[in-house]
Amino acid sequence: MAALPVVIVLAAGRGERFIASGATSHKLDTLLNGMTVLNRTLEAVNASGLPWHLVRPEGGTNGMGESIALGVQATPEAAGWLILPGDLPLVQDATIQRVAETLTARTIVMPHFQQHAGHPVGFGRRYFHALASLAGDAGAAAIVREARASGNVRDLPVTDDGIMRDIDTLADLDLAQGLLPARL
C-alpha cells in the first residue's frame, strides 16, 4: 500500500453554470492569467508533492459521485484520497499537504476557511468501499455526515480561501483573476 494519499482531481463536470453566465468555453479550459483553470489547479497539486489522478473521461460522467468513484477505483492501493474539484485554481499546495498530513486511515479531514468548508476533503483508507460505490451526482456528502456522527471527521482550520473559490461563473473567474497576482 502506498504511504501517501492520492489527490483525485475531478474534471468531468459539464460546467453548465459557467456557460450559462455567458462564457464561450468550458470553465476548466478557460485561461486564468495565461494558464487554464485546470492547469492552475494541477500546478498546486504537483507542487504538493503528492501523487494524483485526473478524472476527465471523454463525454464526462453522470455526476460528482461517479467521478469520485472512478478516481478511487483507479487508485485502490492509495493510503487515502483527497477529493479536489478541478475548478479550484487558487488552492495552495501547502493546504493540500496539510490535509494529507492530518489524514489517518480512519478519518475524514475537512478544511475550513473562516467557518466555511472547502476542498480538498481527505478520506482515509477506511472509506474505500463507500467512495468506490458512489454514483450519480450526490458526491460524498452522505459519507461525511455519517463519519461526523460517529466522530471520525477532523475539521482543519486553514488560512487559504482558495479552498472555497471555485470557478462556476464568469464573475468567479474575474474575482480569481484579481486575487491571483497576490498569490504568485
Side-chain angles (χ1 to χ4, degrees), residues 82 95 97-113 116-124 126-127 143-158 163:
L82 275 63
T95 300
Q97 291 168 341
R98 282 196 60 214
V99 171
E101 290 165 359
T102 306
L103 191 62
T104 69
R106 302 188 61 79
T107 61
I108 293 175
V109 176
M110 178 77 65
H112 289 266
F113 174 77
H116 297 283
H119 286 89
V121 177
F123 292 84
R126 167 189 194 175
Y127 298 96
I143 298 169
V144 173
R145 276 192 304 278
E146 184 177 313
R148 188 173 293 284
S150 60
N152 290 324
V153 175
R154 295 186 65 185
D155 291 306
L156 179 66
V158 298
I163 69 166

Side-chain angles (χ1 to χ4, degrees), residues 7-34:
V7 181
I8 303 295
V9 181
L10 305 177
R14 293 181 190 92
E16 293 168 344
R17 286 184 284 173
F18 192 69
I19 297 295
S21 75
T24 57
S25 65
H26 192 284
K27 64 182 177 177
L28 297 179
D29 300 323
T30 300
L31 292 181
L32 176 59
N33 201 24

